[in-house]
Amino acid sequence: MTHDILYNLYKILSRIEESCLKANRNPEEVKLLLATKTVPADKIRIALQAGQVLIAENKVQELKEKYEALKEIPHTNHFIGHLQSNKIKDVLKYGVTCIQSLDRIELAEKLHQKLLADNKTIEVLIQVNTSNESSKFGIHPDDAIELVTKVSQLSTLKIKGLMTIGLLSNQTDKVRECFKILKALQQQVIALHLPGVQMDELSMGMSGDMEIAIEEGSTIIRIGTAIFGQRNRPDSYYWNEAVTVK
Ligand SMILES: *Cc1c(COP(=O)(O)O)cnc(C)c1O
């Protein structure tokens, strides 16, 4: 088990380097985030002990379950799943420093209220539904600028960039189009010079499409399967997806 994970990690790091080289980018611009849904703490620990520092869960319940087992190893926790308002308290309690899946103003306002009360702030990315799949979470690209603008007025939420899940398809031009949409939105937001808004991070690219995402400017790739192996639970459990285009 240890050997597999270490070998897979090595392969992913090589793929990052190779794609960066191809895209004329510095590999240090691309952070590797380990998407750890369904992965037991023992396996995650192997990756952390090998020097990885950034992990993320999709469900507050799993975050909670693994929290104790991992807390002695220094690392950063992001949240990449659909966040329900009634789970806000827990997501803050278990050390999440960035919510990458902020996709609606109601959630932003509730987060803000809770953070104000606690005298805390949190980093956020705005999740955009670039693939136009109605079942997928994320704000529609046409409404993204408005959401960023509104969230920027909530002082406890520190916007760091945008996140998307690309179209799950082997039609690479369509996948690439999703990442181009996110990049274009980033440029539009930057041009607005909104006070307090940073747009450095583009969280895009997963096991199957990381090379394309890196070519299109990704700064955070989120990898699960290619490091920890196939999950025994379908992604629809996490993504609420009725259909997957393959
Ligand atoms: C599961 C997941 C990933 C990783 O997907 P893999 O295809 O297993 O690499 C990335 N982002 C999100 C939001 C996820 O839920």
Side-chain angles (χ1 to χ4, degrees):
M1 178 173 94
T2 304
H3 175 264
D4 285 349
I5 292 173
L6 295 181
Y7 180 65
N8 291 343
L9 259 176
Y10 162 80
K11 277 197 298 192
I12 286 290
L13 294 172
S14 312
R15 279 170 69 184
I16 294 175
E17 255 198 61
E18 221 169 281
S19 329
C20 284
L21 222 74
K22 219 178 120 192
N24 254 317
R25 298 187 57 195
N26 181 345
E28 285 171 19
E29 292 170 18
V30 182
K31 290 183 274 289
L32 171 59
L33 175 151
L34 310 182
T36 51
K37 58 178 180 270
T38 76
V39 180
D42 284 354
K43 284 194 175 184
I44 302 171
R45 190 180 291 116
I46 293 166
L48 293 178
Q49 282 168 344
Q52 291 305 304
V53 290
L54 180 56
I55 65 177
E57 290 290 345
N58 291 63
K59 294 254 185 210
V60 175
Q61 183 59 32
E62 280 189 58
L63 173 71
K64 198 166 156 180
E65 283 164 12
K66 300 170 205 175
Y67 179 76
E68 284 297 324
L70 298 174
K71 74 173 184 196
E72 78 280 10
I73 313 172
H75 66 278
T76 302
N77 263 305
H78 285 191
F79 192 79
I80 56 175
H82 181 64
L83 182 58
Q84 291 159 317
S85 304
N86 62 355
K87 299 284 167 62
I88 286 175
K89 226 198 264 170
D90 282 341
V91 95
L92 300 176
K93 189 157 80 193
Y94 296 107
V96 166
T97 61
C98 178
I99 295 171
Q100 295 204 0
S101 44
L102 187 59
D103 62 355
R104 56 203 193 278
I105 191 63
E106 299 77 21
L107 176 65
E109 279 165 354
K110 284 184 178 146
L111 258 173
H112 177 60
Q113 290 310 323
K114 173 72 181 137
L115 288 160
L116 266 187
D118 294 353
N119 201 15
K120 279 187 188 162
T121 63
I122 197 164
E123 297 181 350
V124 297
L125 304 184
I126 303 298
Q127 182 177 357
V128 184
N129 181 354
T130 54
S131 61
N132 210 7
E133 292 163 286
S134 58
S135 52
K136 227 177 233 167
F137 296 116
I139 184 97
H140 190 280
D142 292 348
D143 303 323
I145 302 279
E146 188 190 347
L147 181 60
V148 170
T149 307
K150 284 184 177 163
V151 172
S152 75
Q153 288 153 10
L154 304 172
S155 58
T156 60
L157 303 181
K158 308 294 179 194
I159 301 178
K160 297 291 174 185
L162 306 173
M163 184 271 246
T164 199
I165 299 173
L167 184 72
L168 301 174
S169 162
N170 47 25
Q171 294 176 274
T172 54
D173 51 332
K174 290 189 177 162
V175 179
R176 188 181 298 278
E177 192 50 41
C178 294
F179 300 146
K180 281 189 185 297
I181 290 172
L182 205 70
K183 179 81 191 175
L185 279 172
Q186 178 200 37
Q187 296 309 308
Q188 286 178 50
V189 174
I190 289 172
L192 292 176
H193 299 288
L194 297 169
V197 172
Q198 287 177 17
M199 268 291 126
D200 297 337
E201 304 294 358
L202 284 182
S203 176
M204 56 189 199
M206 314 198 314
S207 295
D209 56 19
M210 54 172 276
E211 278 85 1
I212 305 172
I214 289 174
E215 284 173 31
E216 297 304 329
S218 173
T219 65
I220 303 175
I221 56 164
R222 309 179 309 267
I223 306 294
T225 317
I227 293 171
F228 298 112
Q230 289 295 332
R231 292 177 286 271
N232 50 19
R233 198 176 244 164
D235 284 345
S236 56
Y237 175 73
Y238 294 92
W239 291 350
N240 189 29
E241 282 190 285
V243 270
T244 302
V245 188
K246 283 275 179 202

